[in-house]
Amino acid sequence: MHIGNDHVSPDFYAWLFPKCDHVAVGMGTSAQNPISNTSTATKARANLKIEGGKVIKVEAHPMPQHPRPIRVRGQVTLVGDTAGYLTHCSGEGIYFAAKSGRLCVEAIVKATKGGENMISEDDLKREYLRK
Ligand SMILES: Cc1cc2nc3c(=O)[nH]c(=O)nc-3n(C[C@H](O)[C@H](O)[C@H](O)COP(=O)(O)OP(=O)(O)OC[C@H]3O[C@@H](n4cnc5c(N)ncnc54)[C@H](O)[C@@H]3O)c2cc1C
Protein backbone atom coordinates (compact mmCIF):
# COMPACT_ATOMS: atom_id res chain seq x y z
CA MET A 1 0.00 0.00 0.00
CA HIS A 2 1.22 3.50 -0.82
CA ILE A 3 -0.16 6.14 1.52
CA GLY A 4 0.55 9.85 1.44
CA ASN A 5 2.33 9.73 -1.90
CA ASP A 6 1.63 12.65 -4.23
CA HIS A 7 2.53 10.75 -7.38
CA VAL A 8 0.42 7.65 -6.97
CA SER A 9 -2.51 8.92 -4.91
CA PRO A 10 -2.48 12.48 -3.61
CA ASP A 11 -5.69 12.22 -1.64
CA PHE A 12 -6.29 8.54 -0.91
CA TYR A 13 -4.02 5.49 -1.25
CA ALA A 14 -2.76 3.14 -3.91
CA TRP A 15 -2.60 -0.65 -3.63
CA LEU A 16 -1.12 -3.75 -5.10
CA PHE A 17 -3.07 -6.77 -3.87
CA PRO A 18 -1.86 -10.25 -4.83
CA LYS A 19 -4.90 -12.38 -5.69
CA CYS A 20 -5.12 -16.08 -6.48
CA ASP A 21 -4.06 -15.90 -10.14
CA HIS A 22 -3.66 -12.18 -10.78
CA VAL A 23 -2.62 -8.90 -9.20
CA ALA A 24 -5.06 -6.09 -8.44
CA VAL A 25 -3.45 -2.70 -8.94
CA GLY A 26 -5.36 0.43 -8.11
CA MET A 27 -5.51 3.84 -6.58
CA GLY A 28 -8.03 6.24 -5.19
CA THR A 29 -8.17 9.81 -6.29
CA SER A 30 -10.55 12.71 -6.44
CA ALA A 31 -12.25 14.13 -9.50
CA GLN A 32 -9.85 17.09 -9.38
CA ASN A 33 -6.77 14.94 -10.03
CA PRO A 34 -6.31 13.48 -13.50
CA ILE A 35 -6.33 9.71 -13.08
CA SER A 36 -3.97 9.27 -16.04
CA ASN A 37 -1.08 10.79 -14.02
CA THR A 38 -1.62 8.69 -10.95
CA SER A 39 -2.21 5.44 -12.85
CA THR A 40 1.08 5.86 -14.74
CA ALA A 41 2.96 6.40 -11.47
CA THR A 42 1.22 3.43 -9.85
CA LYS A 43 2.00 1.16 -12.81
CA ALA A 44 5.64 2.20 -12.65
CA ARG A 45 5.80 1.23 -8.98
CA ALA A 46 4.06 -2.07 -9.66
CA ASN A 47 6.35 -2.82 -12.55
CA LEU A 48 8.21 -5.83 -11.11
CA LYS A 49 4.98 -7.49 -9.99
CA ILE A 50 3.16 -7.05 -13.29
CA GLU A 51 6.01 -7.43 -15.78
CA GLY A 52 5.07 -9.76 -18.64
CA GLY A 53 1.46 -9.85 -17.55
CA LYS A 54 -1.58 -8.65 -19.44
CA VAL A 55 -4.39 -6.38 -18.38
CA ILE A 56 -7.47 -8.54 -17.83
CA LYS A 57 -9.87 -5.93 -16.47
CA VAL A 58 -9.99 -2.15 -16.07
CA GLU A 59 -12.63 -0.58 -13.89
CA ALA A 60 -13.30 2.59 -11.92
CA HIS A 61 -16.01 3.55 -9.49
CA PRO A 62 -17.07 6.71 -7.72
CA MET A 63 -17.10 6.29 -3.93
CA PRO A 64 -20.41 7.51 -2.52
CA GLN A 65 -19.27 9.58 0.44
CA HIS A 66 -22.40 11.51 1.31
CA PRO A 67 -25.78 10.15 2.40
CA ARG A 68 -28.27 10.37 -0.44
CA PRO A 69 -30.99 12.98 0.18
CA ILE A 70 -33.71 10.44 -0.63
CA ARG A 71 -33.17 6.94 0.75
CA VAL A 72 -36.73 5.67 0.95
CA ARG A 73 -39.41 5.85 -1.70
CA GLY A 74 -42.52 3.72 -1.48
CA GLN A 75 -41.41 0.25 -0.50
CA VAL A 76 -37.90 0.68 -1.92
CA THR A 77 -35.05 1.72 0.34
CA LEU A 78 -31.30 2.07 0.02
CA VAL A 79 -28.63 0.58 2.27
CA GLY A 80 -24.83 0.58 2.20
CA ASP A 81 -23.02 2.31 -0.64
CA THR A 82 -26.21 3.04 -2.55
CA ALA A 83 -27.39 5.08 0.43
CA GLY A 84 -24.03 6.86 0.57
CA TYR A 85 -22.92 5.38 3.92
CA LEU A 86 -19.20 5.56 3.31
CA THR A 87 -16.83 7.35 5.67
CA HIS A 88 -15.44 10.39 3.94
CA CYS A 89 -11.98 10.36 5.53
CA SER A 90 -11.12 6.66 5.20
CA GLY A 91 -13.39 5.15 2.56
CA GLU A 92 -14.61 2.58 5.11
CA GLY A 93 -18.00 1.24 4.13
CA ILE A 94 -18.25 -2.47 4.96
CA TYR A 95 -19.38 -1.95 8.54
CA PHE A 96 -21.96 0.67 7.54
CA ALA A 97 -23.27 -1.50 4.70
CA ALA A 98 -23.80 -4.43 7.07
CA LYS A 99 -25.21 -2.26 9.84
CA SER A 100 -27.63 -0.37 7.61
CA GLY A 101 -28.78 -3.65 6.05
CA ARG A 102 -29.47 -5.05 9.49
CA LEU A 103 -31.33 -1.92 10.67
CA CYS A 104 -33.43 -1.96 7.53
CA VAL A 105 -34.38 -5.61 7.87
CA GLU A 106 -35.19 -5.18 11.56
CA ALA A 107 -37.48 -2.27 10.66
CA ILE A 108 -39.24 -4.39 8.02
CA VAL A 109 -39.70 -7.34 10.40
CA LYS A 110 -41.10 -5.02 13.08
CA ALA A 111 -43.46 -3.16 10.74
CA THR A 112 -44.85 -6.29 9.08
CA LYS A 113 -45.73 -7.72 12.51
CA GLY A 114 -44.70 -11.23 11.60
CA GLY A 115 -45.90 -10.99 8.01
CA GLU A 116 -49.41 -9.72 8.84
CA ASN A 117 -48.95 -6.09 7.68
CA MET A 118 -47.74 -4.51 4.47
CA ILE A 119 -44.97 -2.01 5.22
CA SER A 120 -45.22 1.61 4.19
CA GLU A 121 -42.78 4.37 3.34
CA ASP A 122 -43.48 5.88 6.76
CA ASP A 123 -42.53 2.62 8.53
CA LEU A 124 -39.17 2.61 6.79
CA LYS A 125 -38.56 6.29 7.45
CA ARG A 126 -39.58 6.09 11.08
CA GLU A 127 -37.72 2.94 12.03
CA TYR A 128 -34.84 2.47 9.62
CA LEU A 129 -33.80 6.00 8.68
CA ARG A 130 -34.23 7.34 12.18
CA LYS A 131 -31.89 4.68 13.59
C1 LIG B 1 -10.72 -0.02 -3.58
C2 LIG B 1 -11.66 -0.02 -2.43
C3 LIG B 1 -11.19 -0.31 -1.18
C4 LIG B 1 -12.04 -0.33 -0.09
N1 LIG B 1 -11.54 -0.64 1.13
C5 LIG B 1 -12.37 -0.72 2.17
C6 LIG B 1 -11.87 -1.11 3.46
O1 LIG B 1 -10.67 -1.36 3.66
N2 LIG B 1 -12.74 -1.16 4.49
C7 LIG B 1 -14.06 -0.86 4.33
O2 LIG B 1 -14.82 -0.93 5.31
N3 LIG B 1 -14.56 -0.51 3.13
C8 LIG B 1 -13.76 -0.43 2.04
N4 LIG B 1 -14.27 -0.08 0.83
C9 LIG B 1 -15.70 0.24 0.70
C10 LIG B 1 -16.53 -1.06 0.71
O3 LIG B 1 -16.04 -1.94 -0.28
C11 LIG B 1 -17.99 -0.70 0.41
O4 LIG B 1 -18.40 0.39 1.23
C12 LIG B 1 -18.90 -1.90 0.67
O5 LIG B 1 -18.50 -2.99 -0.12
C13 LIG B 1 -20.35 -1.52 0.37
O6 LIG B 1 -21.15 -2.68 0.45
P1 LIG B 1 -22.52 -2.73 -0.30
O7 LIG B 1 -23.11 -4.06 0.03
O8 LIG B 1 -23.32 -1.50 -0.01
O9 LIG B 1 -22.17 -2.63 -1.85
P2 LIG B 1 -21.30 -3.62 -2.74
O10 LIG B 1 -20.28 -4.35 -1.93
O11 LIG B 1 -20.84 -2.80 -3.90
O12 LIG B 1 -22.36 -4.71 -3.20
C14 LIG B 1 -23.31 -4.43 -4.21
C15 LIG B 1 -23.47 -5.72 -5.00
O13 LIG B 1 -24.55 -5.57 -5.91
C16 LIG B 1 -24.18 -6.19 -7.11
N5 LIG B 1 -25.00 -5.60 -8.17
C17 LIG B 1 -24.90 -4.39 -8.73
N6 LIG B 1 -25.85 -4.22 -9.66
C18 LIG B 1 -26.57 -5.36 -9.67
C19 LIG B 1 -27.68 -5.80 -10.41
N7 LIG B 1 -28.28 -5.02 -11.33
N8 LIG B 1 -28.16 -7.04 -10.17
C20 LIG B 1 -27.58 -7.83 -9.22
N9 LIG B 1 -26.53 -7.46 -8.49
C21 LIG B 1 -26.03 -6.24 -8.71
C22 LIG B 1 -22.71 -5.87 -7.27
O14 LIG B 1 -22.09 -6.77 -8.15
C23 LIG B 1 -22.23 -6.06 -5.83
O15 LIG B 1 -21.84 -7.39 -5.57
C24 LIG B 1 -13.42 -0.06 -0.28
C25 LIG B 1 -13.92 0.22 -1.56
C26 LIG B 1 -13.04 0.24 -2.62
C27 LIG B 1 -13.60 0.50 -4.01
Side-chain angles (χ1 to χ4, degrees):
M1 284 177 76
H2 295 283
I3 298 172
N5 185 309
D6 279 352
H7 300 297
V8 298
S9 184
D11 32 36
F12 202 61
Y13 66 86
W15 61 89
L16 200 86
F17 294 150
K19 302 278 192 161
C20 187
D21 58 357
H22 65 278
V23 181
V25 183
M27 86 289 303
T29 188
S30 70
Q32 285 77 39
N33 289 309
I35 202 157
S36 52
N37 292 350
T38 51
S39 66
T40 303
T42 304
K43 275 187 208 151
R45 282 177 174 250
N47 198 23
L48 283 177
K49 303 277 185 200
I50 58 176
E51 204 174 10
K54 63 173 182 179
V55 176
I56 54 174
K57 194 175 183 184
V58 178
E59 56 185 357
H61 304 279
M63 295 174 84
Q65 297 179 325
H66 302 283
R68 298 283 181 261
I70 298 171
R71 280 163 282 159
V72 176
R73 180 158 287 167
Q75 288 168 319
V76 177
T77 188
L78 305 177
V79 298
D81 273 13
T82 58
Y85 297 150
L86 198 106
T87 313
H88 190 76
C89 58
S90 65
E92 179 193 357
I94 297 170
Y95 173 81
F96 303 105
K99 181 85 178 182
S100 59
R102 187 186 181 106
L103 290 174
C104 180
V105 168
E106 284 173 355
I108 292 169
V109 168
K110 187 175 172 189
T112 55
K113 297 191 170 70
E116 294 297 315
N117 280 346
M118 182 63 80
I119 57 161
S120 69
E121 187 170 306
D122 280 347
D123 291 326
L124 288 167
K125 281 182 176 163
R126 199 169 42 244
E127 287 293 326
Y128 160 56
L129 284 193
R130 188 180 58 79
K131 284 183 181 164

Coordinates of all heavy atoms in Angstrom, one line a residue, residues 2 4 6 22 27 34 38 46-47 61 70 80 82-83 86 89-90 98 106 108 110 112 114-116 120 129:
H2 N 0.5 2.2 -0.8 CA 1.2 3.5 -0.8 C 0.3 4.6 -0.3 O -0.8 4.8 -0.8 CB 1.6 3.9 -2.2 CG 2.6 3.0 -2.9 ND1 3.9 2.9 -2.5 CD2 2.4 2.0 -3.8 CE1 4.5 2.0 -3.2 NE2 3.6 1.4 -4.0
G4 N -0.1 8.5 1.3 CA 0.5 9.8 1.4 C 1.6 10.1 0.4 O 2.6 10.7 0.6
D6 N 2.2 11.7 -3.3 CA 1.6 12.6 -4.2 C 1.6 12.1 -5.6 O 0.7 12.4 -6.4 CB 2.4 14.0 -4.3 CG 2.0 14.8 -3.1 OD1 1.1 14.5 -2.4 OD2 2.7 15.9 -2.9
H22 N -3.9 -13.5 -10.2 CA -3.7 -12.2 -10.8 C -3.3 -11.2 -9.7 O -3.3 -11.5 -8.5 CB -4.9 -11.7 -11.6 CG -6.1 -11.4 -10.8 ND1 -7.0 -12.4 -10.4 CD2 -6.6 -10.3 -10.3 CE1 -7.9 -11.9 -9.6 NE2 -7.7 -10.6 -9.6
M27 N -5.7 2.7 -7.4 CA -5.5 3.8 -6.6 C -6.8 4.6 -6.5 O -7.7 4.5 -7.3 CB -4.4 4.7 -7.2 CG -4.8 5.7 -8.2 SD -5.3 5.0 -9.8 CE -3.9 4.1 -10.3
P34 N -6.2 14.3 -12.3 CA -6.3 13.5 -13.5 C -5.8 12.1 -13.2 O -4.7 11.9 -12.8 CB -5.4 14.2 -14.5 CG -4.7 15.2 -13.8 CD -5.2 15.4 -12.5
T38 N -1.8 9.6 -12.1 CA -1.6 8.7 -10.9 C -1.5 7.2 -11.4 O -0.8 6.5 -10.8 CB -2.7 8.8 -9.9 OG1 -4.0 8.7 -10.6 CG2 -2.7 10.2 -9.2
A46 N 4.5 -0.7 -9.7 CA 4.1 -2.1 -9.7 C 4.8 -2.9 -10.7 O 4.6 -4.1 -10.8 CB 2.6 -2.2 -10.0
N47 N 5.7 -2.2 -11.4 CA 6.4 -2.8 -12.6 C 6.8 -4.2 -12.4 O 6.5 -5.1 -13.1 CB 7.5 -1.9 -13.0 CG 7.9 -2.2 -14.4 OD1 7.1 -2.8 -15.2 ND2 9.1 -1.9 -14.8
H61 N -14.7 3.3 -10.1 CA -16.0 3.5 -9.5 C -15.9 4.8 -8.7 O -15.0 5.0 -8.0 CB -16.4 2.4 -8.5 CG -16.4 1.1 -9.2 ND1 -17.5 0.6 -9.9 CD2 -15.5 0.1 -9.2 CE1 -17.2 -0.6 -10.4 NE2 -16.0 -0.9 -10.0
I70 N -32.5 11.3 -0.7 CA -33.7 10.4 -0.6 C -33.3 9.0 -0.5 O -32.6 8.5 -1.4 CB -34.6 10.6 -1.9 CG1 -35.1 12.1 -1.9 CG2 -35.8 9.7 -1.9 CD1 -35.8 12.4 -3.2
G80 N -26.2 0.7 2.6 CA -24.8 0.6 2.2 C -24.4 1.7 1.3 O -24.8 2.8 1.4
T82 N -25.2 2.4 -1.8 CA -26.2 3.0 -2.5 C -26.8 4.2 -1.8 O -27.3 5.1 -2.3 CB -27.3 2.1 -3.0 OG1 -27.9 1.5 -1.9 CG2 -26.8 1.0 -3.9
A83 N -26.8 4.0 -0.4 CA -27.4 5.1 0.4 C -26.3 6.2 0.7 O -26.7 7.2 1.3 CB -27.9 4.5 1.7
L86 N -20.6 5.8 3.4 CA -19.2 5.6 3.3 C -18.5 6.7 4.1 O -18.8 7.8 3.9 CB -18.8 5.6 1.8 CG -17.4 4.9 1.5 CD1 -17.7 3.5 0.9 CD2 -16.6 5.7 0.6
C89 N -13.4 10.2 5.3 CA -12.0 10.4 5.5 C -11.2 9.1 5.2 O -10.1 9.1 4.8 CB -11.7 10.8 6.9 SG -12.3 9.7 8.2
S90 N -11.9 7.9 5.4 CA -11.1 6.7 5.2 C -11.6 5.8 4.1 O -10.9 4.8 3.6 CB -11.2 5.9 6.5 OG -12.5 5.5 6.7
A98 N -23.2 -3.3 6.3 CA -23.8 -4.4 7.1 C -24.8 -3.9 8.1 O -25.9 -4.4 8.3 CB -22.7 -5.2 7.7
E106 N -34.5 -5.2 10.3 CA -35.2 -5.2 11.6 C -36.4 -4.3 11.5 O -37.5 -4.6 12.1 CB -34.2 -4.7 12.7 CG -33.2 -5.8 13.1 CD -32.2 -5.2 14.0 OE1 -32.1 -4.0 14.3 OE2 -31.3 -6.1 14.4
I108 N -38.2 -3.7 8.8 CA -39.2 -4.4 8.0 C -39.9 -5.5 8.9 O -41.2 -5.6 8.9 CB -38.6 -5.0 6.8 CG1 -38.2 -3.8 5.8 CG2 -39.6 -5.9 6.0 CD1 -37.3 -4.3 4.7
K110 N -40.3 -5.6 12.1 CA -41.1 -5.0 13.1 C -42.4 -4.5 12.5 O -43.5 -4.7 13.0 CB -40.3 -3.9 13.7 CG -41.1 -3.3 14.9 CD -40.2 -2.2 15.6 CE -41.0 -1.5 16.7 NZ -40.3 -0.4 17.2
T112 N -43.9 -5.3 9.7 CA -44.8 -6.3 9.1 C -45.6 -7.1 10.2 O -46.5 -7.9 9.8 CB -44.1 -7.2 8.1 OG1 -43.0 -7.9 8.8 CG2 -43.6 -6.5 6.9
G114 N -44.7 -9.8 11.9 CA -44.7 -11.2 11.6 C -45.4 -11.6 10.3 O -45.9 -12.7 10.1
G115 N -45.4 -10.7 9.3 CA -45.9 -11.0 8.0 C -47.4 -10.6 7.9 O -48.0 -10.9 6.8
E116 N -48.0 -10.0 8.9 CA -49.4 -9.7 8.8 C -49.7 -8.4 8.2 O -50.8 -8.2 7.6 CB -50.0 -9.6 10.3 CG -49.9 -11.0 11.0 CD -50.8 -12.0 10.4 OE1 -52.0 -11.7 10.0 OE2 -50.4 -13.2 10.2
S120 N -45.0 0.4 4.9 CA -45.2 1.6 4.2 C -43.9 2.4 4.2 O -43.0 2.1 4.9 CB -46.3 2.5 4.9 OG -45.8 2.9 6.1
L129 N -34.6 4.8 8.9 CA -33.8 6.0 8.7 C -33.5 6.7 10.0 O -32.4 7.2 10.2 CB -34.5 7.0 7.7 CG -34.5 6.6 6.2 CD1 -34.9 7.8 5.4 CD2 -33.1 6.2 5.8

